[in-house]
Amino acid sequence: MTWGVVFFPGSNCDRDCVHVLRSVMGYPVVEVWHEDRSLDGIDALVLPGGFSYGDYLRSGAIAATAPVMRAVGELAARGAPVLGICNGFQILTEAGLLPGTLLHNASLRFRCHPAWVRVESDRTPFTAGLRPGMVLRMPVAHGEGAYFAPPAEVAALEEAGRVVFRYCDPLGRVTPEANPNGSVAGIAGVASDAGNVVGLMPHPERASEGLLGSIDGRRLFESVVGALVGAG
Amino acid sequence: MRAFRVTIMLKPGVLDAPGQAVERGLDALGYRVEQVRVGKVVEMILPEGERAGVDEICARFLANPLIETWTIEEIPAGAAP
């Protein structure tokens, strides 16, 4: 299978994602420029973290208007796995491919440290190889990561099993102290209605090599491979 | 051409972290302030005959209707940059 990683002006985790998918995991990776209009030949796509367009207007808002985003929407509509990490998550919400939005951290601080998340749903290609209740350790690094949606929408997401990850302590307990940014209901990641588009604030690509202290993040990418091979 | 000034504010109830930060700064300087809210101002000049309304531009791009409200005022065309 072939992965794609989209480069926006101001992306800064693009090389990390390419490194993990290509050098660590051994998959072909297409480096996609934000002005590209075709994603032909790409089976699964990653929108990496960073500060596209300097976070001007709102995080992700300007990147969501990039030419490549029409193709991203079409790829998502065809059911291909699409993962937005950090700024990539913000871009997907601004593009209307994921619900809700990300506000300034309640603490006003840029939070950059290891975090733990509990897998809440295995009905996405990125968690198909995991089990609900599993705890993953991945770093967070963001200033605007407080997930927000109106209460009725959050309730609908919960009901539909579209909350994919929730911040927790190392034992899997969802507590206010484990929530690094004030996200409503401790939500760290959500999925689209069909489940194939997922966004999360923590960085799986920074937790994909033993040398970096955790390989939990790699399991998201491995899940996709398993899901696609299983489906194919 | 016509010039517009759009003021975008977070909806009441949405956490305004920058507003709280400014409030604390004012407090540290000794000013008595009940509440501070921080928003954005966007000025733009539209060409004559532009069909898209300013409200549509706000709803679709300048603001996020999920969390923000906006007000539009027309300003003298010479006043915008």
Side-chain angles (χ1 to χ4, degrees), chain A residues 57-58 61-62 65 94 99-101 103-108 148-150 153 181, chain B residues 8 10 13-15 17-18 20-21 24 40 42 60-64 66-68:
Chain A
L57 196 60
R58 294 176 305 279
I62 297 176
T65 70
E94 283 288 345
T101 191
L103 301 174
H104 281 275
N105 293 350
S107 67
L108 293 170
F148 175 85
E153 186 156 6
N181 50 32
Chain B
I8 301 158
L10 285 170
V14 176
L15 177 68
Q20 290 182 356
R24 276 183 229 163
K40 296 183 199 102
V42 179
R60 190 167 168 207
F61 186 55
L62 295 183
N64 181 345
L66 198 61
I67 51 167
E68 292 169 322

Coordinates of all heavy atoms in Angstrom, one line a residue, chain A residues 57-58 61-62 65 94 99-101 103-108 148-150 153 181, chain B residues 8 10 13-15 17-18 20-21 24 40 42 60-64 66-68:
Chain A
L57 N -5.8 33.7 11.0 CA -7.3 33.7 11.0 C -7.8 32.7 12.0 O -8.2 33.1 13.1 CB -7.9 33.3 9.6 CG -9.3 33.6 9.4 CD1 -9.7 35.1 9.6 CD2 -9.8 33.1 8.0
R58 N -7.6 31.4 11.8 CA -7.8 30.3 12.8 C -6.9 29.2 12.4 O -6.7 29.0 11.2 CB -9.3 29.8 12.8 CG -10.4 30.8 13.2 CD -11.7 30.2 13.1 NE -12.0 29.7 11.8 CZ -12.4 30.4 10.7 NH1 -12.6 31.7 10.9 NH2 -12.6 29.9 9.5
A61 N -7.5 27.1 9.1 CA -8.6 27.7 8.2 C -8.1 28.0 6.8 O -8.8 27.7 5.8 CB -9.1 29.0 8.9
I62 N -6.9 28.5 6.7 CA -6.4 28.9 5.4 C -5.9 27.6 4.6 O -6.2 27.5 3.4 CB -5.3 29.9 5.5 CG1 -5.9 31.2 6.1 CG2 -4.7 30.3 4.1 CD1 -5.0 32.3 6.4
T65 N -8.4 25.8 2.5 CA -8.8 26.3 1.2 C -7.8 25.9 0.1 O -7.9 26.3 -1.0 CB -8.9 27.8 1.2 OG1 -7.6 28.4 1.3 CG2 -9.8 28.3 2.3
E94 N -11.7 22.4 9.9 CA -12.0 23.6 9.1 C -12.5 23.3 7.7 O -13.3 24.0 7.1 CB -10.7 24.5 9.0 CG -10.4 25.3 10.3 CD -11.4 26.4 10.5 OE1 -12.1 26.8 9.6 OE2 -11.4 27.0 11.7
P99 N -16.1 16.9 12.6 CA -16.9 17.8 13.4 C -16.1 18.6 14.4 O -15.1 18.1 14.8 CB -17.9 16.9 14.0 CG -17.2 15.6 14.2 CD -16.2 15.5 13.0
G100 N -16.7 19.7 14.9 CA -16.1 20.4 16.0 C -15.0 21.3 15.6 O -14.7 21.6 14.4
T101 N -14.3 21.8 16.6 CA -13.1 22.7 16.3 C -12.2 22.6 17.5 O -12.5 22.0 18.5 CB -13.6 24.2 16.0 OG1 -12.5 24.9 15.5 CG2 -14.2 24.8 17.3
L103 N -10.0 24.9 20.2 CA -9.8 26.2 20.8 C -8.4 26.3 21.4 O -7.7 25.3 21.7 CB -10.9 26.5 21.8 CG -12.3 26.4 21.4 CD1 -13.2 26.5 22.6 CD2 -12.6 27.5 20.4
H104 N -8.1 27.6 21.8 CA -6.8 27.8 22.6 C -6.9 26.9 23.9 O -8.0 26.7 24.5 CB -6.8 29.2 23.1 CG -6.3 30.2 22.1 ND1 -4.9 30.4 21.8 CD2 -6.9 31.0 21.2 CE1 -4.8 31.3 20.9 NE2 -6.0 31.6 20.4
N105 N -5.8 26.3 24.2 CA -5.7 25.6 25.5 C -6.2 26.4 26.6 O -5.9 27.6 26.7 CB -4.3 25.2 25.8 CG -3.7 24.2 24.8 OD1 -4.4 23.7 23.9 ND2 -2.4 23.9 24.8
A106 N -7.0 25.7 27.5 CA -7.6 26.4 28.6 C -6.5 27.0 29.5 O -6.7 28.1 30.1 CB -8.5 25.5 29.4
S107 N -5.4 26.4 29.6 CA -4.3 26.8 30.5 C -3.5 28.0 29.9 O -2.7 28.6 30.5 CB -3.2 25.7 30.6 OG -2.6 25.4 29.4
L108 N -3.8 28.3 28.6 CA -3.1 29.4 27.9 C -1.7 29.0 27.6 O -0.9 29.8 27.0 CB -3.1 30.7 28.6 CG -4.4 31.4 28.8 CD1 -4.4 32.5 29.7 CD2 -4.9 31.8 27.4
F148 N -13.7 21.3 20.9 CA -15.0 21.9 21.3 C -16.0 21.6 20.2 O -15.7 21.7 19.0 CB -14.9 23.4 21.4 CG -16.2 24.1 21.6 CD1 -16.7 24.2 22.9 CD2 -16.9 24.6 20.6 CE1 -17.9 24.8 23.1 CE2 -18.2 25.2 20.8 CZ -18.7 25.3 22.1
A149 N -17.2 21.2 20.7 CA -18.4 21.2 19.8 C -19.5 21.5 20.8 O -19.4 21.3 22.0 CB -18.5 19.8 19.2
P150 N -20.7 22.0 20.2 CA -21.8 22.2 21.1 C -22.2 20.9 21.8 O -22.1 19.9 21.2 CB -22.9 22.7 20.1 CG -22.1 23.2 18.9 CD -20.9 22.4 18.8
E153 N -24.0 18.2 19.9 CA -23.1 17.5 18.9 C -22.2 16.6 19.6 O -21.9 15.5 19.1 CB -22.3 18.6 18.1 CG -21.6 17.9 17.0 CD -21.3 18.9 15.8 OE1 -21.5 20.1 16.0 OE2 -20.7 18.4 14.8
N181 N -5.5 20.2 27.9 CA -5.9 21.5 27.2 C -7.3 22.0 27.4 O -7.7 23.0 26.8 CB -5.7 21.2 25.6 CG -6.3 20.0 25.2 OD1 -7.4 19.6 25.7 ND2 -5.7 19.3 24.2
Chain B
I8 N -15.3 40.0 14.6 CA -15.6 38.6 14.9 C -15.3 38.4 16.3 O -14.2 38.7 16.8 CB -14.7 37.7 14.0 CG1 -15.0 38.0 12.5 CG2 -14.9 36.2 14.4 CD1 -13.9 37.5 11.6
L10 N -15.9 35.6 19.8 CA -16.3 34.3 20.2 C -17.7 34.4 20.8 O -18.0 35.4 21.5 CB -15.3 33.7 21.3 CG -14.0 33.2 20.8 CD1 -13.0 32.9 21.9 CD2 -14.2 31.9 19.9
G13 N -20.0 32.0 26.3 CA -19.9 30.6 26.7 C -18.8 29.8 26.1 O -18.4 28.8 26.7
V14 N -18.2 30.3 25.0 CA -17.0 29.6 24.5 C -15.8 30.2 25.2 O -15.6 31.4 25.3 CB -16.9 29.9 22.9 CG1 -15.6 29.2 22.4 CG2 -18.1 29.3 22.2
L15 N -15.0 29.3 25.6 CA -13.8 29.7 26.4 C -12.9 30.7 25.6 O -12.5 30.3 24.5 CB -13.0 28.5 26.8 CG -11.7 28.8 27.6 CD1 -12.0 29.4 28.9 CD2 -10.8 27.6 27.6
A17 N -9.7 32.1 25.9 CA -8.4 32.1 26.7 C -7.6 33.4 26.5 O -7.0 33.9 27.4 CB -7.6 30.8 26.3
P18 N -7.5 33.9 25.2 CA -6.8 35.1 25.1 C -7.4 36.3 25.9 O -6.7 37.1 26.5 CB -6.8 35.4 23.6 CG -7.0 34.1 23.0 CD -7.8 33.3 23.9
Q20 N -9.0 36.0 28.7 CA -8.7 35.8 30.1 C -7.2 36.3 30.3 O -6.9 36.8 31.4 CB -8.9 34.4 30.5 CG -10.3 34.0 30.5 CD -10.5 32.5 31.0 OE1 -9.5 31.8 31.2 NE2 -11.8 32.1 31.1
A21 N -6.3 36.0 29.3 CA -4.9 36.4 29.5 C -4.8 37.9 29.6 O -4.1 38.4 30.4 CB -4.1 35.8 28.4
R24 N -6.0 39.2 32.9 CA -4.9 39.0 34.0 C -3.8 40.0 33.8 O -3.3 40.5 34.8 CB -4.3 37.6 33.9 CG -5.2 36.5 34.6 CD -4.5 35.2 34.6 NE -5.4 34.2 34.1 CZ -5.1 33.0 33.7 NH1 -3.8 32.6 33.6 NH2 -6.0 32.1 33.3
K40 N -11.5 39.6 16.6 CA -10.7 40.0 15.4 C -11.4 41.1 14.6 O -12.7 41.0 14.6 CB -10.5 38.8 14.5 CG -9.7 37.7 15.0 CD -9.6 36.6 13.9 CE -9.2 35.3 14.5 NZ -10.3 34.3 14.6
V42 N -11.5 42.5 10.6 CA -11.1 42.3 9.3 C -11.7 43.5 8.4 O -12.9 43.7 8.5 CB -11.5 41.0 8.7 CG1 -11.0 40.8 7.3 CG2 -10.9 39.8 9.5
R60 N -18.6 31.6 5.7 CA -17.9 30.5 5.0 C -16.4 30.4 5.4 O -15.8 29.4 5.4 CB -18.0 30.7 3.5 CG -17.5 29.5 2.7 CD -17.9 29.5 1.3 NE -17.2 28.5 0.6 CZ -16.9 28.6 -0.7 NH1 -17.3 29.6 -1.4 NH2 -16.2 27.6 -1.3
F61 N -15.8 31.6 5.7 CA -14.4 31.6 5.9 C -13.9 32.5 7.0 O -13.1 32.1 7.8 CB -13.7 32.1 4.6 CG -12.2 32.0 4.6 CD1 -11.6 30.9 4.9 CD2 -11.5 33.2 4.3 CE1 -10.2 30.8 4.9 CE2 -10.1 33.1 4.2 CZ -9.4 31.9 4.5
L62 N -14.3 33.8 7.1 CA -13.7 34.7 8.1 C -14.0 34.3 9.5 O -13.2 34.5 10.4 CB -14.2 36.1 7.8 CG -13.7 36.8 6.5 CD1 -14.2 38.2 6.5 CD2 -12.2 36.7 6.4
A63 N -15.2 33.7 9.7 CA -15.6 33.2 11.1 C -15.9 31.8 11.0 O -16.2 31.2 10.0 CB -16.8 34.0 11.6
N64 N -15.8 31.1 12.2 CA -16.3 29.8 12.3 C -17.7 29.8 13.0 O -17.7 30.1 14.2 CB -15.3 28.9 13.1 CG -15.8 27.5 13.3 OD1 -16.9 27.2 13.0 ND2 -14.8 26.6 13.7
L66 N -19.5 27.9 14.3 CA -19.7 27.0 15.4 C -19.4 27.7 16.7 O -20.0 27.5 17.8 CB -18.7 25.8 15.3 CG -18.9 24.6 16.1 CD1 -20.2 23.9 15.8 CD2 -17.8 23.6 15.8
I67 N -18.4 28.6 16.7 CA -17.9 29.3 17.9 C -17.9 30.8 17.9 O -17.6 31.4 18.9 CB -16.4 28.8 18.2 CG1 -15.5 29.0 17.0 CG2 -16.4 27.4 18.7 CD1 -14.1 28.8 17.3
E68 N -18.1 31.4 16.7 CA -18.0 32.8 16.6 C -19.2 33.5 16.0 O -20.0 32.9 15.3 CB -16.8 33.1 15.7 CG -15.4 32.7 16.3 CD -14.3 32.8 15.3 OE1 -14.5 32.5 14.1 OE2 -13.2 33.2 15.7

